[in-house]
Amino acid sequence: MSHEIKTRIEQANQKALSFLVEGQPVWTNVLYAREVVPGFKENMLLHAGPPLKPEQVVAPLKTSLCGAAIHEGFATSIEDAWDMIMKGDLVLGSAQDHSCTCGAVMTISASTPLIVAEDQTSGFQGYASIHPGHNPKTLRWGSYDEDVEKQLCWYRDVYGPQLGEAVRRMKGINIRALIARTAGMGDEHHNRQMAASLAMICDMIPPLLGSTSPGRDQIINELVVNDRFFLHVLMAGAMSVVEAAKNIPMSTLLVGFGGNGHVCGMQFSGTGKEWFTIPAPLILGQMLNPKWTEKDIVGQIGDSTITEVYGFGGLASVAGPSYVRLTGGDFAEAQRRTNNARQVCLAEHKWAPIPWDDFRGPPVGIDMRKVVATGIVPTSHGGSVHKDGGQAGAGSMPFPMECFKQGLRRFSEVIKEGI
C-alpha cells in the first residue's frame, strides 16, 4: 500500500471516527414511520439485518411481517398477508438501509410509532420502535394474535404519542449525557441497561404527570416496570451517529451490523450500502427454558448490534460483567472481551469512564484492517429467538471474521477502481 493511500485512509477514518466519538444523539420526538423514515413507502415492511427475499424469511420473522401487514389493514389473515409478500404487493426492506433499527424480529410498518433521535453535531437522524417491555408475547419476538394487536394499537394511539409529548416538553433527552451519568452502574447498554433505563424513566415521570391523558397512569406503569426501555432509545441514537459516519470514501470503519435469521451482515463506511454476509450464526448462552437447546433457536436476528457499532454491548463487556456471567463467563472474561475490542478499535468513549477499568471508556471505531491483520474479533452480546417465536435466551457470539474479510477485499477493489 502506497504512503498516499495509507494517508487518505487514516484521514477518512479520523473523519468517520469524529462522528462516532463526538456525536451528541438526542431523543427528540416520537413519530410514525410513514412520517419520518427516508424513502419509506406505505406498503413497506422493514426488518432487521441485511435485505432478504421472502423465501429466506425464518418462521418468527414471517409471523411478525404478516402480523404487521394485518395491523396495517393490508390483510385479514397470516395466509393472506404472506401471499401478498410473496407476490411483491408488500415490499420487504432492511431497516438499517432506511436509518432504522428493529429489535429482534420486530417489523416496522407505516403506522409504527418510532423513537426519533438526532445527532445534534451532524443533523443526521436515526429511528427505532419502542421497546415492548417484558411481555413475552409481542411482535418483537415473533408473536401475533388478538392480544398483540391490542398492544400494537395502544402503542400507536396512546403510548407512542404520549411519550412523544413528554420528550418534547423536556426539549429532548441527551442520550450521551444519560450514559455518562450512569457509567459505572453495571450497564453494557446492549443486553443490560437497567441503570440508564431507570434514570431516564425518573426524568420522564414529571412531564408525564403533567399530562391530562386518560391513559397517563397506564403509561407510567408501563415505563417503570421496563428496565430495558433505554435499549431502543440507544438504538435510535446510535443509528443517528452511525448514519453520519457512513459513505466516507476510503474509510475502513464498521458502520452496519445485524442479522435477519437467515444471514448476518456488516457494512463499512468506504464500501457504501453493500452488505457482506455469512449464514446467521447462533447466539449461545443461557436459555430461558432449561429444556431448550441450540436446535430450538434461529440464527442471529436483530439490529440491536448497532449499539456495538457505537462502542457498547460486547465491546463494553467490562462495564457490565453481570451480563457476561449469563454467557458463561466471569469478570476476567469481561475484561478480555473489552481488551480484545481495544486492539481493533481506533478510539474510546472517554465521556463514559468505567471506574473498575481504570476509568477508561468503552472502545469504539472497529477498523476492518485491524481485525483481519490481528485475527482478533470482538464479542457480540444478544438475545436468541425461539424458532416458534418468543425469546429463547441470552448469550454471545464472535463478530463474524468472514464479513471483515469480504469487506476488506471489496475495499481493495474500490481503491483500485478509483486509481
Side-chain angles (χ1 to χ4, degrees), residues 54-104:
E55 57 269 24
Q56 298 170 329
V57 171
V58 296
L61 179 56
K62 177 181 177 180
T63 301
S64 178
L65 293 168
C66 293
I70 296 171
H71 175 65
E72 295 295 342
F74 294 126
T76 57
S77 69
I78 295 290
E79 293 74 20
D80 289 344
W82 186 244
D83 186 56
M84 293 183 71
I85 291 171
M86 291 297 292
K87 289 179 178 177
D89 295 331
L90 297 177
V91 180
L92 305 185
S94 164
Q96 288 191 50
D97 285 345
H98 292 269
S99 308
C100 288
T101 54
C102 290

Side-chain angles (χ1 to χ4, degrees), residues 10 179 182 201 253 261 286-287 297 342 391 417:
E10 290 174 350
I179 294 174
T182 56
I201 290 165
L253 293 194
Q286 182 171 304
M287 295 290 182
I297 62 178
R342 290 189 193 284
Q391 183 173 6
E417 292 167 1

Side-chain angles (χ1 to χ4, degrees), residues 226-369:
N226 187 0
D227 60 14
R228 301 212 65 199
F229 182 82
F230 183 68
L231 172 60
H232 286 210
V233 177
L234 177 56
M235 286 165 60
M239 196 74 227
S240 72
V241 172
V242 170
E243 281 292 295
K246 288 184 176 181
N247 301 309
I248 296 176
M250 303 299 288
S251 173
T252 55
L253 293 194
L254 177 71
V255 293
F257 182 24
N260 56 38
H262 176 67
V263 295
C264 171
M266 293 181 174
Q267 292 175 313
F268 301 94
S269 183
T271 52
K273 292 186 176 181
E274 187 173 355
W275 284 90
F276 304 97
T277 65
I278 63 165
L282 299 179
I283 296 176
L284 300 178
Q286 182 171 304
M287 295 290 182
L288 298 182
N289 186 326
K291 295 181 180 179
W292 293 339
T293 70
E294 59 186 68
K295 294 181 180 179
D296 294 302
I297 62 178
V298 299
Q300 189 263 340
I301 186 167
D303 286 328
S304 56
T305 40
I306 198 70
T307 61
E308 296 175 324
V309 177
Y310 189 39
F312 295 94
L315 279 71
S317 291
V318 72
S322 62
Y323 178 75
V324 176
R325 184 73 171 176
L326 292 178
T327 71
D330 53 15
F331 186 72
E333 171 62 13
Q335 290 178 305
R336 187 193 69 81
R337 292 179 187 181
T338 296
N339 288 337
N340 276 353
R342 290 189 193 284
Q343 296 185 64
V344 295
C345 287
L346 298 182
E348 70 177 60
H349 286 315
K350 294 183 179 180
W351 49 268
I354 306 162
W356 50 87
D357 194 32
D358 199 24
F359 290 95
R360 291 181 294 178
V364 64
I366 298 174
D367 185 345
M368 62 177 164
R369 297 175 304 164

Side-chain angles (χ1 to χ4, degrees), residues 93-115:
S94 164
Q96 288 191 50
D97 285 345
H98 292 269
S99 308
C100 288
T101 54
C102 290
V105 296
M106 181 63 186
T107 296
I108 291 176
S109 56
S111 67
T112 304
L114 297 180
I115 294 164

Side-chain angles (χ1 to χ4, degrees), residues 133-148:
H134 294 291
N135 187 345
K137 192 172 68 172
T138 66
L139 201 69
R140 186 186 192 272
W141 291 111
S143 297
Y144 183 78
D145 59 15
E146 290 183 2
D147 292 336
V148 175

